[in-house]
Amino acid sequence: MSLLIAGGPAMWRGDLGRGLAISMTALVAGLCLVVAGMGLWGLPLGWLATGAMWGSLYNRLYTTRLLARGYRLAGTEEENGRAALALGIEGTGAATCLG
């Protein structure tokens, strides 16, 4: 989703500052490519490239912040262990709802 709408998911999750910042960064990246000689194709290319990078980072940031606020993963012990390893955090203990 972030690939096409850059900061949209962050804004929908209530993270307006980061969402606006990444959307502005995507716009500036596209405009830089336009000025660099790519013509109007630079605008969507810069937007998509920024969205791809942002999408690969934001879900980890968001999930880590939720866990720091007391949310817990809702999978099996094995799934929670893999998620904790991927996030670079300690085990999450008993499973409860992540909503």
Side-chain angles (χ1 to χ4, degrees):
M1 188 66 111
S2 294
L3 179 65
L4 298 177
I5 51 179
M11 288 186 270
W12 291 321
R13 290 174 175 172
D15 197 355
L16 296 177
R18 279 196 178 126
L20 289 173
I22 199 60
S23 292
M24 292 304 297
T25 302
L27 183 61
V28 169
L31 291 173
C32 286
L33 290 177
V34 168
V35 171
M38 292 194 72
L40 289 179
W41 285 105
L43 194 58
L45 185 61
W47 185 273
L48 290 173
T50 304
M53 289 183 284
W54 176 248
S56 66
L57 297 173
Y58 183 71
N59 281 334
R60 179 182 176 155
L61 292 171
Y62 181 71
T63 303
T64 303
R65 256 187 319 156
L66 285 177
L67 292 171
R69 289 189 348 212
Y71 285 81
R72 300 180 74 128
L73 298 172
T76 65
E77 286 296 321
E78 181 182 337
E79 292 169 339
N80 290 351
R82 284 190 307 224
L85 183 63
L87 292 169
I89 59 174
E90 295 296 319
T92 58
T96 60
C97 184
L98 196 143

